[in-house]
Amino acid sequence: MRAHLCGIRTAWTEAVSPRTAAAEIARAVGPGMVQIVLFFSPHYDPETLLRALEAELPGVAIAGCTTSGNICPEGGLDRGLVAIAFPDQGFRIVSTLLDGIDDLDVERTASTVRALRRSLNPHGETVPERCFALSLIDGLANAEETVVSGIAWALDGIPLVGGSAGDDLTFRDAVVLHGGRIHRRAAALILVETDFPVQIFKSDNFEPTEKKFVVTASDGERRIVHELNAEPAAREYAMAVGLDPEGLSPMSFAAYPLAVKVGGEYFCRSIRRLNPDGSLSFFCAIDEGVVLTLAEPRDIVAATRDELARLDHALGGIDLIIGFECVLRRLDAESRQVRQGIADLYRRFNVVGFETFGEQYRAMHLNQTFTGIAIGRRAE
């Protein structure tokens, strides 16, 4: 457990039993907490874990999701769970659930989010600079773009960051916890107002090359690309990066990301997996006619260090960071044998969060980035 200056407590465990894990977390966070945000391994039975937490922490609101790896102030956890416990002083928190996100009504979503915003401060105006929103979205529903755009529109200036729930890299079942229930094809939205300085951020470590691909055949709804440059997608991609199409793996996709240019800036559109028919599934929506650029990684440790140092200076010292890191960044760091360097940075700056199937930043759904909210040490 770590007690932060702002009053938040972060706790983590690698206990195998969900009941043991819940008991350890409850002992660590102690009394006086009003909201738990939980990131946990899919190896836990979510129903058993939730009921155990409710028994150990009666009256405390719980929201969370499954992950593809966790991050705690001591480094990465391949299994186990991480909890962020918000106190009843210095933070005002409300949350809601958006269900059926694979067939989302954007107008209804916006109405729900506006009502949530009003409930955060029913007797006065909400100041966006003192607020932030966290999104936890089922990463297998293929709906993040619609969800994020609907939420961001209604937040009206309140910054949004978040992550897509994962299940390691099995792509079978991701869940979201909210309101005492287990949800699939859903998103939890947590809205926070705080007395402490906060700043959202986005960091990546890639640069575009001259190699371009045009998506010439795709299934946008299922995020599958069948052809690049009028050739079978996997073969065209593999030839460009000098790999055997049959040997493409998550490590390959992490090392050779693809990006799309939006408003003069490049954003990753990462490949999820190779399909038996030679098509490629993506973590983000991809439509025919989109131009994808092959990107090359730069020093991930240096890029991350620079961004965290910038935040530390801007806030007058970082108390903790709630972070959302693409699982492909972790795979890339492992393949380049620099994961320890990233872990050292996360320990130094008290990063807590999880490895995602995608990241949210303002109104965008991203891949192969590290996004989050940095909280300063001194109340304003």
Side-chain angles (χ1 to χ4, degrees), residues 24-97:
E24 290 183 359
I25 293 298
R27 283 196 299 270
V29 302
M33 300 296 163
V34 296
Q35 174 76 59
I36 298 284
V37 179
L38 188 74
F39 310 131
F40 61 98
S41 166
H43 298 93
Y44 290 121
D45 175 70
E47 187 73 33
T48 303
L49 179 63
L50 179 58
R51 297 304 159 225
L53 285 166
E54 289 177 330
E56 296 281 354
L57 296 163
V60 179
I62 299 171
C65 66
T66 51
T67 75
S68 290
N70 299 319
I71 306 167
C72 73
E74 287 190 351
L77 297 178
D78 292 330
R79 295 198 176 192
L81 64 85
V82 171
I84 306 167
F86 289 87
D88 55 6
Q89 298 293 318
F91 296 88
R92 279 74 60 195
I93 303 174
V94 293
S95 68
T96 192
L97 184 88

Side-chain angles (χ1 to χ4, degrees), residues 230-299:
E231 297 290 341
R235 188 175 71 188
E236 184 72 1
Y237 169 81
M239 287 181 61
V241 300
L243 297 175
D244 178 359
E246 298 297 323
L248 292 175
S249 69
M251 286 289 191
S252 311
F253 307 140
Y256 302 99
L258 298 175
V260 63
K261 193 173 186 180
V262 180
E265 187 175 357
Y266 283 92
F267 298 93
C268 261
R269 292 291 181 263
S270 295
I271 301 169
R272 175 183 289 181
R273 64 187 172 198
L274 167 68
N275 299 316
D277 64 357
S279 63
L280 297 171
S281 291
F282 280 70
F283 281 107
C284 279
I286 299 288
D287 294 318
E288 289 181 21
V290 168
V291 177
L292 295 170
T293 298
L294 183 66
E296 58 184 11
R298 52 193 175 94
D299 189 329

Side-chain angles (χ1 to χ4, degrees), residues 98-132:
L98 307 173
D99 57 7
I101 61 173
D102 45 356
D103 187 25
L104 194 73
D105 184 322
V106 175
E107 288 288 347
R108 184 166 64 89
T109 297
S111 178
T112 299
V113 175
R114 290 191 187 103
L116 184 70
R117 177 174 175 165
R118 289 192 297 271
S119 71
L120 182 65
N121 194 351
H123 304 298
E125 284 293 319
T126 300
V127 180
E129 291 77 15
R130 301 177 72 90
C131 300
F132 61 92

Side-chain angles (χ1 to χ4, degrees), residues 40-360:
F40 61 98
S41 166
H43 298 93
Y44 290 121
D45 175 70
E47 187 73 33
T48 303
L49 179 63
L50 179 58
R51 297 304 159 225
L53 285 166
E54 289 177 330
E56 296 281 354
L57 296 163
V60 179
I62 299 171
C65 66
T66 51
T67 75
S68 290
N70 299 319
I71 306 167
C72 73
E74 287 190 351
L77 297 178
D78 292 330
R79 295 198 176 192
L81 64 85
V82 171
I84 306 167
F86 289 87
D88 55 6
Q89 298 293 318
F91 296 88
R92 279 74 60 195
I93 303 174
V94 293
S95 68
T96 192
L97 184 88
L98 307 173
D99 57 7
I101 61 173
D102 45 356
D103 187 25
L104 194 73
D105 184 322
V106 175
E107 288 288 347
R108 184 166 64 89
T109 297
S111 178
T112 299
V113 175
R114 290 191 187 103
L116 184 70
R117 177 174 175 165
R118 289 192 297 271
S119 71
L120 182 65
N121 194 351
H123 304 298
E125 284 293 319
T126 300
V127 180
E129 291 77 15
R130 301 177 72 90
C131 300
F132 61 92
L134 301 176
S135 57
L136 307 176
I137 307 175
D138 181 343
L140 298 180
N142 293 347
E144 290 99 333
E145 287 86 2
T146 304
V147 174
V148 172
S149 62
I151 290 173
W153 174 37
L155 284 175
D156 194 23
I158 293 176
L160 170 71
V161 289
S164 301
D167 63 346
D168 291 337
L169 286 168
T170 63
F171 306 110
R172 289 195 296 264
D173 187 37
V175 304
V176 173
L177 308 185
H178 186 271
R181 294 179 59 194
I182 309 297
H183 304 273
R184 293 171 176 83
R185 302 295 189 264
L189 178 66
I190 304 157
L191 194 55
V192 182
E193 184 179 46
T194 179
D195 298 335
F196 293 84
V198 294
Q199 190 170 132
I200 70 168
F201 67 91
K202 172 181 72 71
S203 176
D204 59 53
N205 66 302
F206 61 86
E207 295 177 345
T209 69
E210 295 301 315
K211 179 61 181 179
K212 307 289 184 183
F213 304 90
V214 178
V215 179
T216 48
S218 70
D219 182 339
E221 185 173 331
R222 296 168 60 201
R223 296 179 174 175
I224 295 175
V225 172
H226 294 282
E227 291 183 1
L228 294 170
N229 299 337
E231 297 290 341
R235 188 175 71 188
E236 184 72 1
Y237 169 81
M239 287 181 61
V241 300
L243 297 175
D244 178 359
E246 298 297 323
L248 292 175
S249 69
M251 286 289 191
S252 311
F253 307 140
Y256 302 99
L258 298 175
V260 63
K261 193 173 186 180
V262 180
E265 187 175 357
Y266 283 92
F267 298 93
C268 261
R269 292 291 181 263
S270 295
I271 301 169
R272 175 183 289 181
R273 64 187 172 198
L274 167 68
N275 299 316
D277 64 357
S279 63
L280 297 171
S281 291
F282 280 70
F283 281 107
C284 279
I286 299 288
D287 294 318
E288 289 181 21
V290 168
V291 177
L292 295 170
T293 298
L294 183 66
E296 58 184 11
R298 52 193 175 94
D299 189 329
I300 188 173
V301 177
T304 306
R305 183 192 304 116
D306 290 347
E307 180 62 14
L308 295 181
R310 182 193 69 79
L311 289 164
D312 194 49
H313 177 75
L315 293 170
I318 291 173
D319 192 15
L320 80 153
I321 289 173
I322 302 172
F324 307 94
E325 179 170 59
C326 182
V327 64
L328 293 184
R329 271 177 56 101
R330 186 250 292 171
L331 294 178
D332 189 38
E334 287 177 350
S335 71
R336 299 176 193 281
Q337 299 183 339
V338 296
R339 191 181 183 191
Q340 187 59 49
I342 294 292
D344 290 343
L345 285 172
Y346 289 173
R347 281 192 288 269
R348 176 183 169 189
F349 290 100
N350 288 327
V351 177
V352 58
F354 74 97
E355 292 169 353
T356 76
F357 276 0
E359 305 78 59
Q360 289 82 57

